[in-house]
Amino acid sequence: MSNPTSPPLPGQPHVARHGDLLQVEQVSLEALAREHGTPLFVYSKQWMLDALAAYQRGFEGRDALVCYAMKANSSLGILRVFAKAGCGFDIVSGGELARVLAVGAEPSKIIFSGVGKTRGEMRQALAAGIGCFNVESEEELDVLNEVAVAEGQRAKVSIRINPNVDPKTHPYISTGLKGNKFGIAHDRALHAYRHAASLPGLQVVGIDCHIGSQITEASPYLDALERVLDLVEAIEAAGIALHHIDFGGGLGIDYNGDTPPAADALWKQLLARIDARGFGGRKLIIEPGRSMVGNAGVCVTEVLYTKPGEDKNFCIVDAAMNDLPRPAMYQAFHRIVPVSARGQGEAQTYDVVGPVCESGDWIGRDRLLNVRSGDLLAVLSAGAYCMSMASNYNTRNRAAEVLVSGDRATLIRRRETFEDQLRNELAGSD
Ligand code: LLP
């Protein structure tokens, strides 16, 4: 007799157990692991489209553009889903620009963020005809001006301002505080805008801010909003028109019972303030990353060994900090669940760790699991900042990726090979 379908996993409505086996949409993770090996990233296309739809609902009837912050997951198969859905993109390097252009993104919907754009990247972006440079320093304004003049172009610019608000998140992913390297200080902003407006190679089109990531409350957004709108008033009073206002990204997801506001509810609240202050007709841009892909993805990994320790038991899996860097980097929590519910024996508390030679190589601590060698585990909420931050540390090949839509699974990244890794290396000679 087949078991009924269990409720979806928290935060991941498209990941559920059907009978014994975990599925993404209608595709079994065990079957995918058998076909493609592990570690394997599997994404639900529907989750991504639902995430985008929540933002679109929030902006219904408005002049608004969702620019997916592709640093969250820049795999071509993911970008293509968003490009086809009409999204714009927030990029931070020439490499990201090459990626989005490869999936046919519309250049005018691309905005270029980041504190350290090179002249080469500026030329590349001007040649592509991107929509806007989000400039982060006064020196960058001068360099962009020079590059644009030399290319016979006018670069469209927005200045990223640092509103000095606390996003109440992990310090490594707070970006809008005074001590952060990002943006131009609120107090300097008007001066920077006057300077930008005086440069022949620049055309001022907007203002932007981004205060941090994995934000789970509305209040930091509301604080930043007031600060940005105060500046819009001051800048426009100085005779510099701002065509758009960009509020960045940052909305969190449910990793471990987190309860961020839904995108549409958050924007309802923010738009009420924007309307109240008389900016309701202004073009709005946002740059969400994590909230567009984070809970679309899981990483399937195989248990290699279990090892009882004096203080702890270890469950050694074939995914590691090079595949899933967030726990090592930010002490981040990802739920870990068995792919098959057929566990035999007794559940024990384990630290789930990878094969990399570092004590920091852990994926989950003190997890109650009923596992033995050969079992598959799914690391949840692995759609954002996992594959895009993966490395080859310990000369490990990067994982494969599969995109699921309904009952269809498409390989969107082949597993890397050692030949791939060695391709650009030269051992030299004596
Ligand atoms: N816009 C700018 C200018 C950004 O710097 C970022 C993220 C975003 C948008 C998108 O933020 P999101 O909506 O994804 O929160 N690796 C870290 C997160 C780093 C975020 C960097 N900037 C993590 O795994 O938590």
Side-chain angles (χ1 to χ4, degrees), residues 55 69 71-72 90 92 113-114 134 136 160 172-173 175 182 210 212-215 248-251 255 287-291 326 330 384-385 389:
Y55 280 109
K71 63 171 79 68
D90 171 43
V92 289
S113 300
N134 287 353
E136 302 221 15
R160 175 170 177 180
Y172 282 15
I173 51 178
T175 50
F182 299 100
H210 170 79
S213 200
Q214 186 53 17
I215 300 168
L251 182 58
Y255 283 104
E287 307 165 2
R290 189 190 315 269
S291 55
R326 304 192 67 257
Y330 321 108
Y385 301 113
M389 289 173 67

PDB file of all heavy atoms in Angstrom, residues 55 69 71-72 90 92 113-114 134 136 160 172-173 175 182 210 212-215 248-251 255 287-291 326 330 384-385 389, ligand 1:
ATOM      1  N   TYR A  55       6.479  39.271  -5.366  1.00  0.00           N
ATOM      2  CA  TYR A  55       6.935  40.659  -5.569  1.00  0.00           C
ATOM      3  C   TYR A  55       6.034  41.366  -6.584  1.00  0.00           C
ATOM      4  O   TYR A  55       5.665  42.530  -6.401  1.00  0.00           O
ATOM      5  CB  TYR A  55       8.387  40.676  -6.057  1.00  0.00           C
ATOM      6  CG  TYR A  55       9.392  40.480  -4.943  1.00  0.00           C
ATOM      7  CD1 TYR A  55      10.125  39.295  -4.831  1.00  0.00           C
ATOM      8  CD2 TYR A  55       9.611  41.472  -4.002  1.00  0.00           C
ATOM      9  CE1 TYR A  55      11.056  39.119  -3.807  1.00  0.00           C
ATOM     10  CE2 TYR A  55      10.530  41.309  -2.970  1.00  0.00           C
ATOM     11  CZ  TYR A  55      11.243  40.131  -2.881  1.00  0.00           C
ATOM     12  OH  TYR A  55      12.145  39.966  -1.869  1.00  0.00           O
ATOM     13  N   ALA A  69      19.064  39.711  -7.880  1.00  0.00           N
ATOM     14  CA  ALA A  69      20.484  39.834  -7.501  1.00  0.00           C
ATOM     15  C   ALA A  69      21.140  38.478  -7.742  1.00  0.00           C
ATOM     16  O   ALA A  69      21.073  37.574  -6.911  1.00  0.00           O
ATOM     17  CB  ALA A  69      20.607  40.255  -6.037  1.00  0.00           C
ATOM     18  N   LYS A  71      23.944  37.201  -7.720  1.00  0.00           N
ATOM     19  CA  LYS A  71      25.006  36.608  -6.901  1.00  0.00           C
ATOM     20  C   LYS A  71      24.447  35.474  -6.037  1.00  0.00           C
ATOM     21  O   LYS A  71      25.176  34.585  -5.633  1.00  0.00           O
ATOM     22  CB  LYS A  71      25.688  37.666  -6.040  1.00  0.00           C
ATOM     23  CG  LYS A  71      24.754  38.317  -5.035  1.00  0.00           C
ATOM     24  CD  LYS A  71      25.477  39.195  -4.057  1.00  0.00           C
ATOM     25  CE  LYS A  71      25.849  40.552  -4.610  1.00  0.00           C
ATOM     26  NZ  LYS A  71      24.684  41.437  -4.889  1.00  0.00           N
ATOM     27  N   ALA A  72      23.137  35.511  -5.769  1.00  0.00           N
ATOM     28  CA  ALA A  72      22.537  34.465  -4.927  1.00  0.00           C
ATOM     29  C   ALA A  72      22.632  33.094  -5.593  1.00  0.00           C
ATOM     30  O   ALA A  72      22.876  32.084  -4.938  1.00  0.00           O
ATOM     31  CB  ALA A  72      21.078  34.800  -4.619  1.00  0.00           C
ATOM     32  N   ASP A  90      20.458  42.361 -11.124  1.00  0.00           N
ATOM     33  CA  ASP A  90      21.454  43.160 -10.419  1.00  0.00           C
ATOM     34  C   ASP A  90      22.757  42.378 -10.507  1.00  0.00           C
ATOM     35  O   ASP A  90      22.826  41.235 -10.034  1.00  0.00           O
ATOM     36  CB  ASP A  90      21.019  43.333  -8.956  1.00  0.00           C
ATOM     37  CG  ASP A  90      22.105  43.962  -8.098  1.00  0.00           C
ATOM     38  OD1 ASP A  90      22.729  44.925  -8.565  1.00  0.00           O
ATOM     39  OD2 ASP A  90      22.327  43.485  -6.965  1.00  0.00           O
ATOM     40  N   VAL A  92      27.218  42.259 -10.229  1.00  0.00           N
ATOM     41  CA  VAL A  92      28.323  42.873  -9.486  1.00  0.00           C
ATOM     42  C   VAL A  92      29.681  42.617 -10.117  1.00  0.00           C
ATOM     43  O   VAL A  92      30.711  42.880  -9.484  1.00  0.00           O
ATOM     44  CB  VAL A  92      28.358  42.391  -8.003  1.00  0.00           C
ATOM     45  CG1 VAL A  92      27.208  42.971  -7.216  1.00  0.00           C
ATOM     46  CG2 VAL A  92      28.359  40.879  -7.909  1.00  0.00           C
ATOM     47  N   SER A 113      25.916  46.846  -9.536  1.00  0.00           N
ATOM     48  CA  SER A 113      26.276  47.257  -8.172  1.00  0.00           C
ATOM     49  C   SER A 113      27.711  46.847  -7.873  1.00  0.00           C
ATOM     50  O   SER A 113      28.334  46.123  -8.653  1.00  0.00           O
ATOM     51  CB  SER A 113      25.356  46.573  -7.154  1.00  0.00           C
ATOM     52  OG  SER A 113      24.014  46.909  -7.366  1.00  0.00           O
ATOM     53  N   GLY A 114      28.203  47.262  -6.722  1.00  0.00           N
ATOM     54  CA  GLY A 114      29.522  46.797  -6.271  1.00  0.00           C
ATOM     55  C   GLY A 114      30.496  47.930  -6.038  1.00  0.00           C
ATOM     56  O   GLY A 114      30.506  48.906  -6.782  1.00  0.00           O
ATOM     57  N   ASN A 134      25.124  51.455 -10.294  1.00  0.00           N
ATOM     58  CA  ASN A 134      24.928  51.882  -8.899  1.00  0.00           C
ATOM     59  C   ASN A 134      26.308  52.210  -8.342  1.00  0.00           C
ATOM     60  O   ASN A 134      27.070  51.315  -7.990  1.00  0.00           O
ATOM     61  CB  ASN A 134      24.263  50.776  -8.078  1.00  0.00           C
ATOM     62  CG  ASN A 134      22.789  50.608  -8.426  1.00  0.00           C
ATOM     63  OD1 ASN A 134      22.230  51.397  -9.193  1.00  0.00           O
ATOM     64  ND2 ASN A 134      22.161  49.603  -7.865  1.00  0.00           N
ATOM     65  N   GLU A 136      29.286  53.600  -5.925  1.00  0.00           N
ATOM     66  CA  GLU A 136      29.453  53.481  -4.474  1.00  0.00           C
ATOM     67  C   GLU A 136      30.492  54.415  -3.867  1.00  0.00           C
ATOM     68  O   GLU A 136      30.729  54.381  -2.665  1.00  0.00           O
ATOM     69  CB  GLU A 136      29.786  52.031  -4.117  1.00  0.00           C
ATOM     70  CG  GLU A 136      28.723  51.043  -4.586  1.00  0.00           C
ATOM     71  CD  GLU A 136      28.414  49.959  -3.570  1.00  0.00           C
ATOM     72  OE1 GLU A 136      28.790  50.110  -2.398  1.00  0.00           O
ATOM     73  OE2 GLU A 136      27.788  48.970  -3.964  1.00  0.00           O
ATOM     74  N   ARG A 160      24.638  54.822  -4.593  1.00  0.00           N
ATOM     75  CA  ARG A 160      24.208  53.999  -3.456  1.00  0.00           C
ATOM     76  C   ARG A 160      24.508  54.749  -2.180  1.00  0.00           C
ATOM     77  O   ARG A 160      25.661  55.100  -1.915  1.00  0.00           O
ATOM     78  CB  ARG A 160      24.944  52.661  -3.468  1.00  0.00           C
ATOM     79  CG  ARG A 160      24.617  51.821  -2.235  1.00  0.00           C
ATOM     80  CD  ARG A 160      25.151  50.434  -2.360  1.00  0.00           C
ATOM     81  NE  ARG A 160      24.911  49.645  -1.187  1.00  0.00           N
ATOM     82  CZ  ARG A 160      25.295  48.389  -1.053  1.00  0.00           C
ATOM     83  NH1 ARG A 160      25.941  47.798  -2.054  1.00  0.00           N
ATOM     84  NH2 ARG A 160      25.046  47.721   0.038  1.00  0.00           N
ATOM     85  N   TYR A 172      28.332  39.922   9.039  1.00  0.00           N
ATOM     86  CA  TYR A 172      28.962  39.797   7.721  1.00  0.00           C
ATOM     87  C   TYR A 172      28.017  40.167   6.588  1.00  0.00           C
ATOM     88  O   TYR A 172      28.452  40.388   5.471  1.00  0.00           O
ATOM     89  CB  TYR A 172      29.437  38.356   7.478  1.00  0.00           C
ATOM     90  CG  TYR A 172      30.714  37.971   8.175  1.00  0.00           C
ATOM     91  CD1 TYR A 172      31.227  38.739   9.208  1.00  0.00           C
ATOM     92  CD2 TYR A 172      31.407  36.824   7.796  1.00  0.00           C
ATOM     93  CE1 TYR A 172      32.380  38.367   9.850  1.00  0.00           C
ATOM     94  CE2 TYR A 172      32.572  36.448   8.434  1.00  0.00           C
ATOM     95  CZ  TYR A 172      33.047  37.221   9.470  1.00  0.00           C
ATOM     96  OH  TYR A 172      34.189  36.842  10.098  1.00  0.00           O
ATOM     97  N   ILE A 173      26.712  40.136   6.868  1.00  0.00           N
ATOM     98  CA  ILE A 173      25.770  40.435   5.785  1.00  0.00           C
ATOM     99  C   ILE A 173      24.936  41.685   6.086  1.00  0.00           C
ATOM    100  O   ILE A 173      23.895  41.904   5.521  1.00  0.00           O
ATOM    101  CB  ILE A 173      24.890  39.208   5.414  1.00  0.00           C
ATOM    102  CG1 ILE A 173      24.222  38.587   6.642  1.00  0.00           C
ATOM    103  CG2 ILE A 173      25.714  38.159   4.695  1.00  0.00           C
ATOM    104  CD1 ILE A 173      23.307  37.393   6.309  1.00  0.00           C
ATOM    105  N   THR A 175      25.007  45.637   5.553  1.00  0.00           N
ATOM    106  CA  THR A 175      25.744  46.468   4.601  1.00  0.00           C
ATOM    107  C   THR A 175      25.412  47.947   4.714  1.00  0.00           C
ATOM    108  O   THR A 175      26.078  48.766   4.091  1.00  0.00           O
ATOM    109  CB  THR A 175      25.464  46.009   3.159  1.00  0.00           C
ATOM    110  OG1 THR A 175      24.050  45.916   3.000  1.00  0.00           O
ATOM    111  CG2 THR A 175      26.086  44.665   2.867  1.00  0.00           C
ATOM    112  N   PHE A 182      30.164  49.835   2.175  1.00  0.00           N
ATOM    113  CA  PHE A 182      29.249  50.042   1.056  1.00  0.00           C
ATOM    114  C   PHE A 182      28.662  51.447   1.008  1.00  0.00           C
ATOM    115  O   PHE A 182      28.376  52.047   2.041  1.00  0.00           O
ATOM    116  CB  PHE A 182      28.107  49.028   1.124  1.00  0.00           C
ATOM    117  CG  PHE A 182      28.604  47.622   1.023  1.00  0.00           C
ATOM    118  CD1 PHE A 182      28.765  46.845   2.143  1.00  0.00           C
ATOM    119  CD2 PHE A 182      28.958  47.097  -0.214  1.00  0.00           C
ATOM    120  CE1 PHE A 182      29.248  45.557   2.050  1.00  0.00           C
ATOM    121  CE2 PHE A 182      29.454  45.817  -0.311  1.00  0.00           C
ATOM    122  CZ  PHE A 182      29.604  45.032   0.816  1.00  0.00           C
ATOM    123  N   HIS A 210      21.025  49.449  -0.081  1.00  0.00           N
ATOM    124  CA  HIS A 210      20.839  48.020   0.233  1.00  0.00           C
ATOM    125  C   HIS A 210      21.410  47.858   1.623  1.00  0.00           C
ATOM    126  O   HIS A 210      22.591  48.108   1.837  1.00  0.00           O
ATOM    127  CB  HIS A 210      21.581  47.149  -0.791  1.00  0.00           C
ATOM    128  CG  HIS A 210      21.633  45.704  -0.378  1.00  0.00           C
ATOM    129  ND1 HIS A 210      20.559  44.853  -0.537  1.00  0.00           N
ATOM    130  CD2 HIS A 210      22.606  44.972   0.203  1.00  0.00           C
ATOM    131  CE1 HIS A 210      20.881  43.655  -0.067  1.00  0.00           C
ATOM    132  NE2 HIS A 210      22.118  43.699   0.384  1.00  0.00           N
ATOM    133  N   GLY A 212      21.322  45.141   3.839  1.00  0.00           N
ATOM    134  CA  GLY A 212      21.800  43.879   4.391  1.00  0.00           C
ATOM    135  C   GLY A 212      20.997  42.726   3.847  1.00  0.00           C
ATOM    136  O   GLY A 212      20.163  42.914   2.945  1.00  0.00           O
ATOM    137  N   SER A 213      21.251  41.562   4.396  1.00  0.00           N
ATOM    138  CA  SER A 213      20.659  40.354   3.833  1.00  0.00           C
ATOM    139  C   SER A 213      20.049  39.509   4.952  1.00  0.00           C
ATOM    140  O   SER A 213      20.401  39.680   6.125  1.00  0.00           O
ATOM    141  CB  SER A 213      21.775  39.589   3.133  1.00  0.00           C
ATOM    142  OG  SER A 213      21.273  38.688   2.193  1.00  0.00           O
ATOM    143  N   GLN A 214      19.139  38.601   4.567  1.00  0.00           N
ATOM    144  CA  GLN A 214      18.424  37.762   5.552  1.00  0.00           C
ATOM    145  C   GLN A 214      17.772  38.658   6.624  1.00  0.00           C
ATOM    146  O   GLN A 214      17.886  38.430   7.825  1.00  0.00           O
ATOM    147  CB  GLN A 214      19.355  36.694   6.152  1.00  0.00           C
ATOM    148  CG  GLN A 214      18.699  35.669   7.079  1.00  0.00           C
ATOM    149  CD  GLN A 214      17.488  34.942   6.478  1.00  0.00           C
ATOM    150  OE1 GLN A 214      17.286  34.943   5.270  1.00  0.00           O
ATOM    151  NE2 GLN A 214      16.656  34.348   7.285  1.00  0.00           N
ATOM    152  N   ILE A 215      17.062  39.678   6.142  1.00  0.00           N
ATOM    153  CA  ILE A 215      16.335  40.579   7.027  1.00  0.00           C
ATOM    154  C   ILE A 215      14.953  39.961   7.274  1.00  0.00           C
ATOM    155  O   ILE A 215      14.279  39.552   6.321  1.00  0.00           O
ATOM    156  CB  ILE A 215      16.195  41.982   6.387  1.00  0.00           C
ATOM    157  CG1 ILE A 215      17.591  42.565   6.133  1.00  0.00           C
ATOM    158  CG2 ILE A 215      15.361  42.916   7.260  1.00  0.00           C
ATOM    159  CD1 ILE A 215      17.596  43.804   5.265  1.00  0.00           C
ATOM    160  N   GLY A 248      17.092  48.083  -3.048  1.00  0.00           N
ATOM    161  CA  GLY A 248      17.981  46.943  -2.816  1.00  0.00           C
ATOM    162  C   GLY A 248      17.223  45.653  -2.570  1.00  0.00           C
ATOM    163  O   GLY A 248      16.037  45.519  -2.901  1.00  0.00           O
ATOM    164  N   GLY A 249      17.938  44.704  -1.972  1.00  0.00           N
ATOM    165  CA  GLY A 249      17.324  43.396  -1.697  1.00  0.00           C
ATOM    166  C   GLY A 249      17.273  43.168  -0.205  1.00  0.00           C
ATOM    167  O   GLY A 249      17.014  44.091   0.557  1.00  0.00           O
ATOM    168  N   GLY A 250      17.532  41.929   0.202  1.00  0.00           N
ATOM    169  CA  GLY A 250      17.724  41.671   1.622  1.00  0.00           C
ATOM    170  C   GLY A 250      16.659  40.878   2.339  1.00  0.00           C
ATOM    171  O   GLY A 250      16.881  40.422   3.461  1.00  0.00           O
ATOM    172  N   LEU A 251      15.487  40.708   1.713  1.00  0.00           N
ATOM    173  CA  LEU A 251      14.418  40.003   2.438  1.00  0.00           C
ATOM    174  C   LEU A 251      14.837  38.557   2.736  1.00  0.00           C
ATOM    175  O   LEU A 251      15.348  37.854   1.859  1.00  0.00           O
ATOM    176  CB  LEU A 251      13.130  40.047   1.604  1.00  0.00           C
ATOM    177  CG  LEU A 251      11.897  39.404   2.248  1.00  0.00           C
ATOM    178  CD1 LEU A 251      11.566  40.050   3.589  1.00  0.00           C
ATOM    179  CD2 LEU A 251      10.694  39.514   1.305  1.00  0.00           C
ATOM    180  N   TYR A 255      14.857  29.630   7.253  1.00  0.00           N
ATOM    181  CA  TYR A 255      15.855  28.554   7.356  1.00  0.00           C
ATOM    182  C   TYR A 255      15.516  27.638   8.519  1.00  0.00           C
ATOM    183  O   TYR A 255      15.683  26.444   8.458  1.00  0.00           O
ATOM    184  CB  TYR A 255      17.254  29.144   7.612  1.00  0.00           C
ATOM    185  CG  TYR A 255      17.929  29.755   6.405  1.00  0.00           C
ATOM    186  CD1 TYR A 255      17.991  31.139   6.250  1.00  0.00           C
ATOM    187  CD2 TYR A 255      18.528  28.958   5.439  1.00  0.00           C
ATOM    188  CE1 TYR A 255      18.630  31.703   5.163  1.00  0.00           C
ATOM    189  CE2 TYR A 255      19.173  29.514   4.344  1.00  0.00           C
ATOM    190  CZ  TYR A 255      19.216  30.882   4.213  1.00  0.00           C
ATOM    191  OH  TYR A 255      19.849  31.442   3.126  1.00  0.00           O
ATOM    192  N   GLU A 287      16.198  44.700  -5.630  1.00  0.00           N
ATOM    193  CA  GLU A 287      17.280  43.769  -5.999  1.00  0.00           C
ATOM    194  C   GLU A 287      17.247  42.523  -5.113  1.00  0.00           C
ATOM    195  O   GLU A 287      18.212  42.241  -4.401  1.00  0.00           O
ATOM    196  CB  GLU A 287      18.636  44.458  -5.802  1.00  0.00           C
ATOM    197  CG  GLU A 287      18.793  45.791  -6.482  1.00  0.00           C
ATOM    198  CD  GLU A 287      19.999  46.593  -5.948  1.00  0.00           C
ATOM    199  OE1 GLU A 287      20.737  46.093  -5.068  1.00  0.00           O
ATOM    200  OE2 GLU A 287      20.186  47.722  -6.417  1.00  0.00           O
ATOM    201  N   PRO A 288      16.175  41.759  -5.128  1.00  0.00           N
ATOM    202  CA  PRO A 288      16.130  40.589  -4.241  1.00  0.00           C
ATOM    203  C   PRO A 288      16.960  39.434  -4.794  1.00  0.00           C
ATOM    204  O   PRO A 288      16.976  39.190  -6.002  1.00  0.00           O
ATOM    205  CB  PRO A 288      14.645  40.214  -4.237  1.00  0.00           C
ATOM    206  CG  PRO A 288      14.127  40.697  -5.555  1.00  0.00           C
ATOM    207  CD  PRO A 288      14.953  41.897  -5.939  1.00  0.00           C
ATOM    208  N   GLY A 289      17.655  38.747  -3.909  1.00  0.00           N
ATOM    209  CA  GLY A 289      18.441  37.580  -4.330  1.00  0.00           C
ATOM    210  C   GLY A 289      17.936  36.340  -3.613  1.00  0.00           C
ATOM    211  O   GLY A 289      17.196  35.523  -4.160  1.00  0.00           O
ATOM    212  N   ARG A 290      18.308  36.238  -2.318  1.00  0.00           N
ATOM    213  CA  ARG A 290      17.961  35.046  -1.528  1.00  0.00           C
ATOM    214  C   ARG A 290      16.472  34.693  -1.603  1.00  0.00           C
ATOM    215  O   ARG A 290      16.115  33.527  -1.757  1.00  0.00           O
ATOM    216  CB  ARG A 290      18.330  35.320  -0.070  1.00  0.00           C
ATOM    217  CG  ARG A 290      18.230  34.123   0.831  1.00  0.00           C
ATOM    218  CD  ARG A 290      18.376  34.550   2.293  1.00  0.00           C
ATOM    219  NE  ARG A 290      19.435  35.469   2.537  1.00  0.00           N
ATOM    220  CZ  ARG A 290      20.695  35.151   2.863  1.00  0.00           C
ATOM    221  NH1 ARG A 290      21.012  33.893   3.044  1.00  0.00           N
ATOM    222  NH2 ARG A 290      21.614  36.079   3.047  1.00  0.00           N
ATOM    223  N   SER A 291      15.616  35.731  -1.476  1.00  0.00           N
ATOM    224  CA  SER A 291      14.181  35.454  -1.408  1.00  0.00           C
ATOM    225  C   SER A 291      13.617  35.005  -2.755  1.00  0.00           C
ATOM    226  O   SER A 291      12.451  34.630  -2.848  1.00  0.00           O
ATOM    227  CB  SER A 291      13.432  36.704  -0.915  1.00  0.00           C
ATOM    228  OG  SER A 291      13.746  37.811  -1.740  1.00  0.00           O
ATOM    229  N   ARG A 326      27.946  28.239   3.778  1.00  0.00           N
ATOM    230  CA  ARG A 326      27.277  29.150   4.713  1.00  0.00           C
ATOM    231  C   ARG A 326      27.467  28.776   6.188  1.00  0.00           C
ATOM    232  O   ARG A 326      27.702  29.664   7.010  1.00  0.00           O
ATOM    233  CB  ARG A 326      25.791  29.299   4.379  1.00  0.00           C
ATOM    234  CG  ARG A 326      25.539  29.776   2.932  1.00  0.00           C
ATOM    235  CD  ARG A 326      24.114  30.207   2.689  1.00  0.00           C
ATOM    236  NE  ARG A 326      23.786  31.390   3.436  1.00  0.00           N
ATOM    237  CZ  ARG A 326      23.073  31.406   4.534  1.00  0.00           C
ATOM    238  NH1 ARG A 326      22.556  30.292   5.005  1.00  0.00           N
ATOM    239  NH2 ARG A 326      22.849  32.531   5.169  1.00  0.00           N
ATOM    240  N   TYR A 330      29.166  31.726   8.191  1.00  0.00           N
ATOM    241  CA  TYR A 330      28.274  32.568   9.014  1.00  0.00           C
ATOM    242  C   TYR A 330      27.610  31.792  10.139  1.00  0.00           C
ATOM    243  O   TYR A 330      26.603  32.245  10.690  1.00  0.00           O
ATOM    244  CB  TYR A 330      27.141  33.172   8.157  1.00  0.00           C
ATOM    245  CG  TYR A 330      27.522  33.632   6.785  1.00  0.00           C
ATOM    246  CD1 TYR A 330      27.119  32.920   5.659  1.00  0.00           C
ATOM    247  CD2 TYR A 330      28.280  34.781   6.603  1.00  0.00           C
ATOM    248  CE1 TYR A 330      27.463  33.339   4.383  1.00  0.00           C
ATOM    249  CE2 TYR A 330      28.621  35.198   5.332  1.00  0.00           C
ATOM    250  CZ  TYR A 330      28.216  34.477   4.227  1.00  0.00           C
ATOM    251  OH  TYR A 330      28.546  34.889   2.973  1.00  0.00           O
ATOM    252  N   ALA A 384      20.189  29.512  -2.414  1.00  0.00           N
ATOM    253  CA  ALA A 384      20.888  30.805  -2.497  1.00  0.00           C
ATOM    254  C   ALA A 384      22.231  30.741  -1.791  1.00  0.00           C
ATOM    255  O   ALA A 384      22.338  30.175  -0.700  1.00  0.00           O
ATOM    256  CB  ALA A 384      20.033  31.904  -1.858  1.00  0.00           C
ATOM    257  N   TYR A 385      23.221  31.356  -2.386  1.00  0.00           N
ATOM    258  CA  TYR A 385      24.552  31.502  -1.795  1.00  0.00           C
ATOM    259  C   TYR A 385      25.170  30.155  -1.417  1.00  0.00           C
ATOM    260  O   TYR A 385      25.870  30.055  -0.412  1.00  0.00           O
ATOM    261  CB  TYR A 385      24.497  32.447  -0.580  1.00  0.00           C
ATOM    262  CG  TYR A 385      23.981  33.824  -0.936  1.00  0.00           C
ATOM    263  CD1 TYR A 385      22.751  34.285  -0.461  1.00  0.00           C
ATOM    264  CD2 TYR A 385      24.712  34.662  -1.787  1.00  0.00           C
ATOM    265  CE1 TYR A 385      22.276  35.550  -0.811  1.00  0.00           C
ATOM    266  CE2 TYR A 385      24.232  35.919  -2.132  1.00  0.00           C
ATOM    267  CZ  TYR A 385      23.021  36.354  -1.644  1.00  0.00           C
ATOM    268  OH  TYR A 385      22.553  37.597  -1.995  1.00  0.00           O
ATOM    269  N   MET A 389      28.647  30.276  -4.315  1.00  0.00           N
ATOM    270  CA  MET A 389      29.827  30.505  -3.472  1.00  0.00           C
ATOM    271  C   MET A 389      30.701  29.253  -3.400  1.00  0.00           C
ATOM    272  O   MET A 389      31.684  29.225  -2.639  1.00  0.00           O
ATOM    273  CB  MET A 389      29.388  30.902  -2.060  1.00  0.00           C
ATOM    274  CG  MET A 389      28.785  32.301  -2.004  1.00  0.00           C
ATOM    275  SD  MET A 389      28.085  32.693  -0.389  1.00  0.00           S
ATOM    276  CE  MET A 389      29.532  32.737   0.633  1.00  0.00           C
TER     277      MET A 389
HETATM  278  N1  LLP B   1      21.855  44.152  -3.768  1.00  0.00           N
HETATM  279  C1  LLP B   1      23.105  44.302  -3.304  1.00  0.00           C
HETATM  280  C2  LLP B   1      23.823  45.543  -3.616  1.00  0.00           C
HETATM  281  C3  LLP B   1      23.706  43.286  -2.546  1.00  0.00           C
HETATM  282  O1  LLP B   1      24.936  43.450  -2.075  1.00  0.00           O
HETATM  283  C4  LLP B   1      22.983  42.094  -2.270  1.00  0.00           C
HETATM  284  C5  LLP B   1      23.582  41.020  -1.488  1.00  0.00           C
HETATM  285  C6  LLP B   1      21.676  41.978  -2.798  1.00  0.00           C
HETATM  286  C7  LLP B   1      21.138  43.028  -3.529  1.00  0.00           C
HETATM  287  C8  LLP B   1      20.831  40.763  -2.579  1.00  0.00           C
HETATM  288  O2  LLP B   1      20.566  40.552  -1.236  1.00  0.00           O
HETATM  289  P1  LLP B   1      19.562  39.373  -0.807  1.00  0.00           P
HETATM  290  O3  LLP B   1      18.183  39.721  -1.324  1.00  0.00           O
HETATM  291  O4  LLP B   1      20.075  38.107  -1.402  1.00  0.00           O
HETATM  292  O5  LLP B   1      19.639  39.358   0.664  1.00  0.00           O
HETATM  293  N2  LLP B   1      26.523  35.198   1.150  1.00  0.00           N
HETATM  294  C9  LLP B   1      25.652  35.725   2.168  1.00  0.00           C
HETATM  295  C10 LLP B   1      24.780  36.837   1.631  1.00  0.00           C
HETATM  296  C11 LLP B   1      25.560  37.967   1.030  1.00  0.00           C
HETATM  297  C12 LLP B   1      24.675  39.052   0.438  1.00  0.00           C
HETATM  298  C13 LLP B   1      25.493  40.030  -0.340  1.00  0.00           C
HETATM  299  N3  LLP B   1      24.744  41.061  -0.982  1.00  0.00           N
HETATM  300  C14 LLP B   1      24.818  34.586   2.749  1.00  0.00           C
HETATM  301  O6  LLP B   1      24.987  33.457   2.333  1.00  0.00           O
HETATM  302  O7  LLP B   1      24.035  34.793   3.660  1.00  0.00           O
END
